[in-house]
């Protein structure tokens, strides 16, 4: 069964540090997404990515966030200067019709 | 107002019971998803529906497009069904998914 893989599974960082979360989507998929879930809350959309560019982003996805697909397989989410409120589970998804989610990367900002 | 609502928020059932989780949404959609979220956080897709009904094992999902409502049924519930069930919708194909708040199910032996 095809799967989306995410690394790291858990990262602890100090406030103000840069964090890169990585995702390997399913190889023949063209649409990629990042979502986040703050503890105890529902999953929220961050950004969608198609044809090597952002197709939609939410209000949450401000200038401290960026996404790229550096090598045709990995799909990364960068948070430039982390804040306490960035502590959440971050999910990558790929597909479009049926969606495939990664296991998530838990980010803890101290 | 949330675009996707679920009820109940929490549900406790005895093993073997028939379970129904409801989802209502307020926007036009091309697809509705039912997902499981496991204790470690991982999300697994159960069903994608655009009309009618789908069945997989003991799980049945139905959707009524006119009423903007979907249900997820679990027959012969088992303690291993005790996870969070999430309803989510897409307005168009390849659009972002809009998530509901989830229903936490606990099945007691």
């Amino acid at each position: 069964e095809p799967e989306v893989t995410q690394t790291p599974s858990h990262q602890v960082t100090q406030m103000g540090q840069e964090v890169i979360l990585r995702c390997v989507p399913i190889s023949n998929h063209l649409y990629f997404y990042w979502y986040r879930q703050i503890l105890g809350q529902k999953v929220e959309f961050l950004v969608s990515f198609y044809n090597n560019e952002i197709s939609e982003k939410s209000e949450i996805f401000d200038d401290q966030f960026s996404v790229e697909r550096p090598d045709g397989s990995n799909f990364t989410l960068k948070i430039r200067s982390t804040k306490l409120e960035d502590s959440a589970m971050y999910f990558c998804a790929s597909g479009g019709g049926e969606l495939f989610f990664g296991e998530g990367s838990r980010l803890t900002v101290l | 107002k949330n675009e996707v609502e679920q009820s109940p928020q929490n549900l406790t059932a005895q093993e073997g019971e028939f379970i129904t989780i409801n989802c209502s949404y307020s926007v036009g959609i091309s697809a509705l998803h039912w997902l499981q979220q496991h204790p470690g956080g991982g999300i697994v897709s159960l069903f994608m529906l655009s009309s009618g009904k789908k069945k997989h094992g003991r799980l049945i999902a139905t959707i009524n497009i006119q009423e903007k409502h979907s249900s997820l049924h679990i027959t012969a519930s088992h303690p291993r069904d005790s996870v969070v069930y999430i309803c989510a919708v897409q307005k168009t194909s390849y659009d972002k998914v809009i998530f509901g708040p989830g229903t936490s199910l606990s099945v007691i032996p």
Side-chain angles (χ1 to χ4, degrees):
Chain A
E1 168 124 348
E3 61 178 17
V4 176
T5 57
Q6 288 186 242
T7 55
S9 56
H10 189 193
Q11 182 159 355
V12 181
T13 191
Q14 294 291 323
M15 191 168 57
Q17 295 296 304
E18 176 182 283
V19 162
I20 297 175
L21 305 178
R22 292 182 170 81
C23 170
V24 179
I26 294 168
S27 60
N28 61 345
H29 284 178
L30 301 177
Y31 287 82
F32 314 113
Y33 310 83
W34 282 102
Y35 296 87
R36 81 169 185 192
Q37 185 178 34
I38 294 170
L39 187 64
Q41 298 185 18
K42 66 180 181 180
V43 179
E44 305 172 285
F45 168 74
L46 287 177
V47 65
S48 57
F49 193 84
Y50 170 72
N51 201 24
N52 287 325
E53 60 183 29
I54 290 173
S55 51
E56 185 178 358
K57 59 183 180 179
S58 72
E59 292 175 353
I60 303 166
F61 194 87
D62 61 21
D63 291 343
Q64 71 159 344
F65 290 94
S66 62
V67 289
E68 62 177 13
R69 198 156 185 238
D71 57 12
S73 60
N74 289 291
F75 177 48
T76 63
L77 174 69
K78 183 191 291 186
I79 310 174
R80 273 183 254 287
S81 178
T82 50
K83 305 173 195 165
L84 295 175
E85 54 265 36
D86 295 327
S87 294
M89 181 77 95
Y90 289 81
F91 293 100
C92 173
S94 75
E98 186 176 3
L99 284 173
F100 294 84
F101 287 87
E103 286 291 309
S105 294
R106 184 172 299 282
L107 176 63
T108 301
V109 182
L110 302 176
Chain B
K1 184 182 183 300
N2 292 323
E3 292 173 292
V4 182
E5 303 275 7
Q6 287 183 237
S7 62
Q9 184 177 349
N10 297 285
L11 180 57
T12 300
Q14 292 290 324
E15 183 173 357
E17 284 186 2
F18 180 84
I19 287 164
T20 296
I21 299 170
N22 294 299
C23 174
S24 60
Y25 53 92
S26 57
V27 296
I29 66 168
S30 65
L32 181 142
H33 301 261
W34 280 103
L35 309 157
Q36 272 182 340
Q37 185 167 32
H38 291 264
I43 295 173
V44 175
S45 180
L46 296 174
F47 295 104
M48 184 179 76
L49 294 160
S50 54
S51 65
K53 178 178 174 178
K54 286 191 176 180
K55 183 176 190 292
H56 182 69
R58 295 180 295 105
L59 300 177
I60 303 165
T62 63
I63 188 169
N64 185 318
I65 296 291
Q66 286 73 32
E67 295 186 3
K68 292 187 166 62
H69 182 269
S70 175
S71 293
L72 177 69
H73 305 287
I74 306 174
T75 61
S77 58
H78 190 274
R80 64 175 175 267
D81 298 327
S82 300
V83 293
V84 174
Y85 293 85
I86 301 173
C87 173
V89 301
Q90 281 178 292
K91 294 180 183 178
T92 62
S93 297
Y94 305 106
D95 194 8
K96 65 181 182 289
V97 174
I98 304 168
F99 287 78
T103 295
S104 179
L105 173 64
S106 178
V107 181
I108 301 168

